[in-house]
DNA sequence: AGCACGCCGACT
DNA sequence: GTCGGCGTGCTC
């Protein structure tokens, strides 16, 4: 190797866990800095890459190396702090660096398009707030203020209406006065124009949003505004954690328990966990806010890693709702609704109240059954039942794209005695329309809100009480606060009680408490009713007391006995293919080699079939790795990826890693 | 991943 | 004969 020649190490958007060495471009240029976007020849194609380093030497000889074809921008696109963050993230998740580097970027940037020019920078114009903070809010704000310029995570625990948002606004104001940027991460569902408006009212045009529903051009401009510092306050969903901040001084993760912060395919990162990492690298505070914190977060607060701030009061004077259950054992149900529940609904409607029925299942019925031989409509590509959709007159799989017409005759016994069994949102809508023909009803699920703008429209109507009766799934439980809501009914609470997934109970408790938080108006306490066949179940008893900290504490104790997260760390190696043999063999090979390694402090469990063995025609398996400490877990993952990258079998199997998995599916 | 190459069975 | 599916190998 000729002395003095510089070799650039370039990250490319390919699933390979290494950087690629390139010679400088033909036309002599000064040293290209880390973060520079370049075009490089790669095999027969030309790819966009980011320079992550340079060196005097390479493992490749000079004539094996190709030269950078083109430098895309006059200055580096990725700030140094973003480059280091990307490196740490890639290492944490054992994911290819190049894919991590491009994961949050606008598509136009990824395709090598030139940067559009930005409109003139508008100075931030802060509108002072006239809202007086209560004592707890003042204490919390002071604590965050005192932590500026140092790494300090906070858990800000407070129910709906306790004034968390006002603290975010004030803390953001303080940071912005120091010329710092502020990132506010929110769940996918709650990034509405109203959310944005609330911040714009306070901070003017220096507020921008970043989410997947923006056009490619809008995303590129927003990305560059963040890099140039024109964006002071950024409200964004998951991928915003990878924005190119240069002056980031505060990160807020609102509703930090929300599962949409974890990407569920491809590069499976948690934006909440990476927010803590990014704050650490930058030495700035990070605030995790929730009424129902994730158990991981509570654990970190209790162990002293995070500072625990509590807002015990509802800042606006709304009373806690009353919470009762309806024992529906041996009761005749009409479309899943007991007579008592229908009576409560009627009562509230009569009193000019607003009612929300919560059921976590869309469609008409989850099962389509033959009464004479027990045949059930099954998806031919998945181990799942088909859902009966009345309006579309179809049987639809909720796990793949399979659809079929509704059988009029049983394929097994030719009987015509076929019936939908169980309830979904569509059925509740039908039953209630029949029962309350005069009342306007809105069904809010992903079927009813498929086209753009329809969710906003429905939420707006619901908010202003144009619709007295609401039926909804998860969607409705999270998004929005309805000021006129007086009754919330959980139609079926029993699904979460007996799940194989150890997190199901946590999720259900969070959901029920969040839903309950929606009930109650300014002058009148709300009512929450839970239909169940297990009224004596200890979890339901605790939920009824609405004491989340206490409930979480007892569930955490159970987790500690079983050495489950947050008392141990998990990782999953998933594999799937058209035949069951390949993925099982592959994982068995890895398991074998790991056993021989004899790494202390880890358990390797499996390979086992995934809870839904077959999905979209693929047979799925997983290998679970469990460890008390992170270090051995990392060793296992490093070793596993090195095998997988070399293995021939792995080429014929789709495999992926999931560090800190949320769902075992 | 994306692309090319080579091999083998099965169709106009 | 040649079209196309899959298995294999490689990308600085
Ligand atoms: Zn039958
Ligand atoms: Zn299916």
């Amino acid at each position: 190797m000729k002395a003095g020649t510089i070799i650039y190490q370039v990250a490319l958007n390919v699933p390979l866990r290494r950087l690629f060495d390139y010679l400088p471009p033909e036309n002599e240029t000064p040293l290209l800095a880390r973060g520079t976007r370049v075009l490089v020849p790669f095999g027969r194609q030309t790819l966009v890459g980011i320079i992550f380093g340079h060196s005097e030497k390479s493992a490749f000889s000079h004539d094996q190396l190709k030269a950078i074809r083109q430098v895309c921008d006059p200055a580096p696109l990725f700030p140094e702090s973003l480059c280091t963050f990307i490196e740490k993230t890639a290492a944490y998740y054992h994911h290819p660096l190049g894919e991590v580097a491009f994961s949050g970027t606008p598509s136009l940037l990824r395709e090598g398009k030139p940067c559009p020019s930005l409109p003139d920078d508008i100075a931030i114009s802060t509108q002072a707030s006239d809202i007086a903070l209560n004592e707890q809010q003042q204490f919390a704000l002071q604590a965050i203020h005192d932590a500026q310029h140092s790494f300090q995570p906070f858990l800000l625990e407070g129910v709906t209406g306790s004034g968390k948002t006002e603290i975010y606004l004030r803390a953001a104001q303080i940071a912005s006065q120091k010329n710092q940027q502020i990132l506010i991460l929110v769940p996918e569902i709650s990034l509405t124009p109203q959310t944005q408006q609330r911040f714009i009212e306070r901070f003017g045009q220096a507020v921008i949003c970043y989410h997947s529903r923006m056009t490619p051009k809008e995303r590129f401009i927003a990305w560059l505004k963040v890099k140039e510092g024109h964006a002071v306050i950024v409200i964004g969903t998951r991928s915003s954690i990878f924005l190119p901040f240069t002056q980031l001084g505060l990160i807020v993760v609102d509703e930090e328990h929300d599962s949409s912060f974890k990407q569920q395919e491809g590069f499976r990162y948690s934006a909440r966990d990476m927010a803590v990492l990014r704050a650490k690298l930058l030495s700035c505070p990070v605030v995790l806010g929730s009424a129902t914190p994730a158990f991981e977060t509570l654990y970190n607060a209790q162990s002293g890693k995070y500072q625990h701030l509590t807002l015990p009061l509802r800042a606006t004077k709304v009373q806690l709702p009353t919470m009762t259950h309806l024992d529906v054992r041996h009761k005749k149900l009409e479309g899943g609704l007991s007579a008592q529940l229908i009576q409560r609904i009627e009562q509230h409607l009569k009193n000019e109240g607003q009612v929300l029925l919560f059921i976590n299942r869309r469609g008409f019925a989850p099962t389509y059954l033959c009464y004479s031989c027990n045949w059930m409509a099954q998806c031919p590509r998945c181990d799942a039942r088909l859902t009966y959709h009345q309006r579309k007159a179809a049987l639809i799989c909720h796990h793949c794209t399979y659809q079929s017409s509704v059988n009029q005759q049983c394929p097994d016994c030719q009987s015509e005695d076929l019936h939908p069994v169980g309830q979904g949102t569509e059925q509740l809508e039908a039953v209630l329309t029949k029962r309350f023909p005069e009342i306007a009803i809105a069904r809010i699920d992903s079927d009813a809100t498929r086209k753009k703008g329809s969710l906003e429209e429905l939420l707006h109507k619901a908010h202003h009480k144009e619709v007295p009766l609401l039926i909804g799934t998860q969607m409705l439980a999270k998004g929005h606060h309805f000021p006129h809501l007086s009754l919330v009914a959980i139609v079926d609470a029993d699904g979460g009680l007996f799940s194989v997934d150890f997190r199901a109970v946590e999720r259900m408790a969070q959901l029920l408490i969040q839903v309950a938080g929606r009930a109650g108006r300014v002058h009148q306490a709300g009512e929450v009713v839970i239909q169940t066949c297990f009224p004596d179940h200890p979890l339901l008893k605790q939920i009824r007391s609405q004491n989340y900290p206490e409930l979480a504490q007892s569930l955490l104790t159970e987790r500690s006995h079983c050495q489950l997260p947050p008392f141990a760390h998990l990782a999953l190696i998933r594999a799937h293919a058209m035949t069951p043999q390949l993925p099982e063999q592959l994982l068995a090979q890895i398991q074998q080699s790991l056993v021989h390694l004899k790494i202390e402090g880890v358990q390797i469990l499996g390979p086992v079939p995934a809870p839904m063995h077959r999905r979209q025609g693929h047979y799925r398996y997983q290998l679970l790795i469990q460890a008390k400490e992170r270090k051995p877990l990392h060793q296992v993952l490093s070793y596993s990826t090195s095998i997988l990258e070399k293995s021939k079998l792995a080429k014929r199997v789709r495999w992926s890693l999931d560090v800190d998995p949320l769902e075992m599916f």
Side-chain angles (χ1 to χ4, degrees), chain A residues 295-296 299 302 552-553 555-570 626-629:
Chain A
F295 289 4
E296 273 79 4
Y299 175 76
Q302 283 162 13
Q553 206 49 57
L555 291 175
L556 271 168
T557 310
E558 280 176 32
R559 294 262 188 105
S560 95
H561 294 326
C562 306
Q563 280 297 294
L564 286 168
F567 300 92
H569 306 289
L570 297 181
Q626 182 178 23
K628 188 91 189 70
E629 304 296 332

Side-chain angles (χ1 to χ4, degrees), chain A residues 186-193 195-196 209-211 235-237 456:
Chain A
V186 296
E188 229 123 81
I189 196 98
S190 46
L191 187 38
T192 60
T195 316
Q196 187 181 7
C209 286
Y210 193 78
H211 53 84
I235 311 167
T237 53
E456 286 74 23

Side-chain angles (χ1 to χ4, degrees), chain A residues 73-343:
Chain A
D73 311 282
L77 259 198
F78 285 31
E80 175 55 33
S81 63
L82 179 60
C83 292
T84 31
F85 175 57
I86 288 166
E87 286 167 335
K88 297 279 187 206
T89 305
Y92 183 88
Y93 287 107
H94 294 262
H95 200 83
L97 178 64
E99 286 194 350
V100 176
F102 285 98
S103 66
T105 62
S107 55
L108 295 173
L109 184 156
R110 217 176 310 150
E111 290 157 10
K113 301 285 193 308
C115 295
S117 57
L118 295 181
D120 288 340
D121 188 10
I122 299 161
I124 184 165
S125 55
T126 310
Q127 202 71 37
S129 163
D130 47 10
I131 302 170
L133 296 185
N134 65 33
E135 203 179 312
Q136 284 84 10
Q137 284 177 309
Q138 278 175 31
F139 180 83
L141 183 61
Q142 187 64 45
I144 298 165
H145 181 260
D146 291 345
Q148 61 186 160
H149 309 300
S150 62
F151 171 60
Q152 175 62 58
F154 295 95
L155 163 56
L156 180 60
E157 189 176 3
V159 300
T160 315
S162 63
K164 291 193 295 285
T165 310
E166 186 57 31
I167 294 182
Y168 305 156
L169 287 161
R170 300 277 182 115
Q173 191 176 336
I174 294 167
S176 71
Q177 281 159 359
K178 312 239 150 151
N179 288 324
Q180 291 178 327
Q181 293 172 296
I182 301 98
L183 170 61
I184 298 172
L185 288 168
V186 296
E188 229 123 81
I189 196 98
S190 46
L191 187 38
T192 60
Q194 292 95 301
T195 316
Q196 187 181 7
Q197 197 53 40
R198 184 146 182 210
F199 281 86
I200 288 177
E201 275 163 21
R202 271 299 185 53
F203 300 105
Q205 296 308 307
V207 176
I208 66 147
C209 286
Y210 193 78
H211 53 84
S212 57
R213 299 175 80 175
M214 291 159 65
T215 67
K217 182 86 183 287
E218 285 170 341
R219 284 194 125 211
F220 205 178
I221 288 174
W223 196 92
L224 289 165
K225 279 186 174 176
V226 173
K227 175 178 135 58
E228 298 303 330
H230 296 196
V232 177
I233 304 204
V234 179
I235 311 167
T237 53
R238 184 175 59 231
S239 64
S240 313
I241 194 62
F242 291 108
L243 284 171
F245 294 95
T246 51
Q247 300 297 327
L248 191 56
L250 171 68
I251 309 177
V252 171
V253 186
D254 190 30
E255 308 290 342
E256 62 84 32
H257 64 279
D258 193 278
S259 57
S260 77
F261 287 123
K262 175 94 198 246
Q263 178 134 64
Q264 287 293 12
E265 79 241 326
F267 170 34
R268 295 170 177 259
Y269 66 97
S270 158
R272 182 240 292 152
D273 296 347
M274 292 307 99
V276 176
L277 173 67
R278 198 160 184 188
K280 188 175 180 177
L281 296 174
L282 293 170
S283 296
C284 79
V286 51
V287 179
L288 310 183
S290 177
T292 53
F295 289 4
E296 273 79 4
T297 306
L298 277 176
Y299 175 76
N300 284 324
Q302 283 162 13
S303 71
K305 240 176 111 182
Y306 299 176
Q307 190 179 336
H308 197 159
L309 303 168
T310 325
L311 301 177
L313 303 173
R314 284 197 173 193
T316 50
K317 300 215 175 61
V318 178
Q319 296 168 42
L320 270 184
T322 62
M323 216 179 208
T324 51
H325 70 264
L326 285 176
D327 183 356
V328 293
R329 280 176 295 184
H330 323 299
K331 295 277 162 60
K332 193 172 176 295
L333 302 180
E334 191 187 348
L337 305 175
S338 61
Q340 295 114 296
L341 178 54
I342 291 182
Q343 196 202 325

Side-chain angles (χ1 to χ4, degrees), chain A residues 14 122 155 174 192 433 496 504 521 526 554 651:
Chain A
V14 290
I122 299 161
L155 163 56
I174 294 167
T192 60
T433 307
R521 294 173 288 180
S554 73
K651 280 248 118 190

Side-chain angles (χ1 to χ4, degrees), chain A residues 58-71:
Chain A
S58 166
F60 290 76
S61 75
H62 203 293
D63 53 353
Q64 285 176 294
L65 295 178
K66 298 178 182 176
I68 290 172
R69 193 156 282 165
Q70 195 189 318
V71 180

